[in-house]
Amino acid sequence: MSRTDWEVVIGLEIHTQLNTASKIFSGASTAFGAAPNVQASAVDIALPGVLPVLNRGAVERANRFGLAIGATIAPRSIFARKNYFYPDLPKGYQISQYELPVVQGGAITLLVPDGQGGHYEKRVRLTRAHLEEDAGKSLHEDFHGMSGIDLNRAGTPLLEIVSEPDMRSAAEAVAYAKALHALVRWIDICDGNMQEGSFRCDANVSVRPRGQAEFGTRREIKNLNSFRFLQQAIDYEVQYQIELIEDGGKVQQATVLFDPDSGETRAMRSKEDAHDYRYFPDPDLLPLVIDSAWIERVKGELPELPAALSARFEGEYGLSAYDATTLTASREIAEFYLAAVAVAGTALAKPCANWVMGDLAARLNKAELDIAASPVSPEQLAGLVQRIADNTISNAIGKKVFEALWNGEGASADAIIDAQG
Ligand code: ADP
Ligand code: MG
């Protein structure tokens, strides 16, 4: 069977650290980067007799997420104990949600690069998103052959977002992860810092002969903390599974790790089943009850979402779906663009978009600046776009004026044009 006869199937589980000030079941700080174990309270390190108390802010953020993806917010959900042994988990169990998660269903729509310079629309359904606590960290360096344990991360609130197995390529998985990453920052529930582990992806990957109804056996690649690693790990895994099957082998369900240095995945453990965790409701925690008044309030406080704003950019400003999506990649970009159009006028929305996504983005990238720190303001950019539109200056001169604005050589495009003739 040739390579093209295989279909790839991917489902992602994404762990997002919620940006609450304190932990999900204790008052200890969640700030990143403190000295080891100074932010591990009695609850986090599981001293005998302590009781967890649920952080309302974590639930608030789960609600925000659920409403943003059109999911059902469970009026009543249950915290369960997921039992397993690991040095970074002193309780011997993780408090998570199992049978009744707080967020159920929902979907997001994304644009996926088609590999030929274009894009296509793809809808990915979400299975659920549940609240749980993060574990601590084992440190393997600097301990002369031993390991250290840092429990500062223990008890940090996580929202684990689980997708249906709807993705059919690494490109779709990356586009999905990027869209979720943008969304959780947009609704301000997670700082999105992937280096610090605030947003970590597990990719479940299987292959099947095209046309076959049942899914193949999956392997789960754990803890991918960059979009590039996600892409590379899936590419490697797909190749590995296809070659294994074509050589007469069978894929065994397993949990694997990706090694960025070798670009390979390797088995960590054979996959455990749910019953191995002996889930049961945590007797220390009441059911989580969310009434409709709470849901309605959160709904009312949600900002205009990227999908809605993007649709407005297409409809009112005549932008392409791709441009509209690019300009809604973050709230900062969208706000900059909206401020520029507010000055230049809707008729110049398209050239404003081109300048924001083109010269400005390139210049910010080169200077490693966020758009919020742009030396050229939206008003200045709008003024420049207007002078090009009314033929006061050419596009080529416009680039020089842009550079002058960037360098602070004048307060506005008009001032620079006057001063430099
Ligand atoms: P578990 O909780 O044991 O990890 P789930 O059934 O909850 O298992 O699925 C976890 C993830 O794996 C989900 O994102 C789901 O979409 C995905 N998944 C399930 N079956 C497959 C498969 N055959 N191929 C690829 N992904 C899959
Ligand atoms: Mg899993």
Side-chain angles (χ1 to χ4, degrees):
M1 210 177 273
S2 78
R3 180 117 201 227
T4 49
D5 291 323
W6 294 97
E7 183 176 48
V8 176
V9 173
I10 303 165
L12 294 190
E13 295 162 277
I14 298 185
H15 289 88
T16 55
Q17 283 184 347
L18 299 175
N19 58 2
T20 53
S22 59
K23 295 190 178 173
I24 184 166
F25 300 118
S26 84
S29 167
T30 56
F32 182 84
N37 298 308
V38 302
Q39 288 168 185
S41 76
V43 172
D44 307 327
I45 64 177
L47 292 187
V50 296
L51 283 174
V53 176
L54 181 59
N55 182 339
R56 188 180 174 87
V59 180
E60 174 87 9
R61 284 161 179 77
N63 286 346
R64 224 182 281 162
F65 178 77
L67 292 170
I69 58 156
T72 302
I73 307 293
R76 186 173 174 280
S77 63
I78 302 289
F79 285 99
R81 290 187 181 180
K82 180 180 183 179
N83 299 279
Y84 65 96
F85 173 77
Y86 210 72
D88 62 16
L89 188 76
K91 283 205 297 288
Y93 61 86
Q94 176 194 30
I95 304 178
S96 182
Q97 295 190 306
Y98 180 54
E99 277 164 41
L100 276 178
V102 60
V103 173
Q104 304 173 2
I108 62 171
T109 302
L110 23 133
L111 281 183
V112 188
D114 63 9
Q116 275 131 47
H119 293 80
Y120 63 93
E121 215 173 77
K122 167 90 188 181
R123 194 169 165 78
V124 175
R125 292 166 301 154
L126 280 83
T127 314
R128 57 191 272 155
H130 58 260
L131 284 165
E132 62 183 24
E133 57 181 342
D134 210 342
K137 261 189 216 167
S138 299
L139 310 168
H140 302 295
E141 278 151 36
D142 307 327
F143 292 97
H144 312 288
M146 297 184 287
S147 292
I149 301 289
D150 177 6
L151 295 173
N152 282 349
R153 197 178 69 177
T156 298
L158 295 176
L159 188 66
E160 177 174 343
I161 303 165
V162 183
S163 83
E164 290 289 300
D166 280 354
M167 287 150 281
R168 294 291 174 268
S169 65
E172 290 185 0
V174 170
Y176 165 80
K178 285 185 173 170
L180 266 195
H181 185 251
L183 182 64
V184 296
R185 281 180 305 149
W186 190 284
I187 59 175
D188 194 22
I189 64 168
C190 169
D191 68 18
N193 190 323
M194 296 178 80
Q195 283 82 44
E196 293 179 2
S198 301
F199 188 93
R200 323 190 287 265
C201 305
D202 300 342
N204 293 269
V205 180
S206 66
V207 298
R208 63 177 168 186
R210 200 171 291 283
Q212 176 182 304
E214 315 86 69
F215 289 137
T217 303
R218 73 188 145 117
R219 303 213 312 162
E220 176 174 357
I221 316 165
K222 278 288 187 200
N223 266 331
L224 297 159
N225 66 352
S226 87
F227 298 123
R228 195 161 53 87
F229 292 165
L230 179 61
Q231 168 95 42
Q232 290 172 349
I234 293 172
D235 285 344
Y236 177 86
E237 189 57 36
V238 166
Q239 181 90 24
Y240 165 84
Q241 292 186 16
I242 291 172
E243 280 172 12
L244 179 68
I245 299 170
E246 289 185 344
D247 288 347
K250 260 184 117 172
V251 176
Q252 303 289 336
Q253 191 166 323
T255 303
V256 307
L257 285 179
F258 176 66
D259 177 0
D261 295 326
S262 65
E264 297 176 0
T265 57
R266 67 192 150 74
M268 185 162 90
R269 53 176 189 248
S270 65
K271 172 72 186 172
E272 54 290 299
D273 287 315
H275 64 251
D276 295 327
Y277 289 120
R278 294 154 30 243
Y279 279 101
F280 63 88
D282 192 312
D284 288 341
L285 287 156
L286 291 167
L288 169 58
V289 174
I290 299 172
D291 62 17
S292 56
W294 191 355
I295 295 174
E296 287 310 312
R297 178 180 57 72
V298 173
K299 209 182 265 178
E301 287 171 8
L302 272 184
E304 183 175 16
L305 295 170
L309 188 56
S310 179
R312 201 148 70 75
F313 286 171
E314 283 182 62
E316 291 175 21
Y317 295 173
L319 302 188
S320 69
Y322 177 72
D323 288 359
T325 303
T326 305
L327 291 165
T328 51
S330 77
R331 267 165 98 164
E332 291 75 21
I333 296 172
E335 275 159 18
F336 188 102
Y337 175 63
L338 281 166
V341 174
V343 173
T346 306
L348 297 180
K350 178 65 185 154
C352 282
N354 291 342
W355 274 92
V356 172
M357 296 184 302
D359 293 72
L360 178 66
R363 200 68 184 73
L364 289 168
N365 208 7
K366 202 170 133 197
E368 293 181 24
L369 284 178
D370 285 337
I371 197 161
S374 170
V376 178
S377 71
E379 295 73 22
Q380 289 173 324
L381 194 72
L384 170 60
V385 168
Q386 283 171 318
R387 290 298 83 79
I388 297 170
D390 67 15
N391 291 317
T392 306
I393 54 172
S394 67
N395 209 51
I397 299 288
K399 286 180 187 292
K400 292 188 181 164
V401 174
F402 175 79
E403 201 52 33
L405 283 170
W406 181 277
N407 294 323
E409 291 167 27
S412 67
D414 284 341
I416 291 165
I417 295 165
D418 284 348
Q420 304 192 7

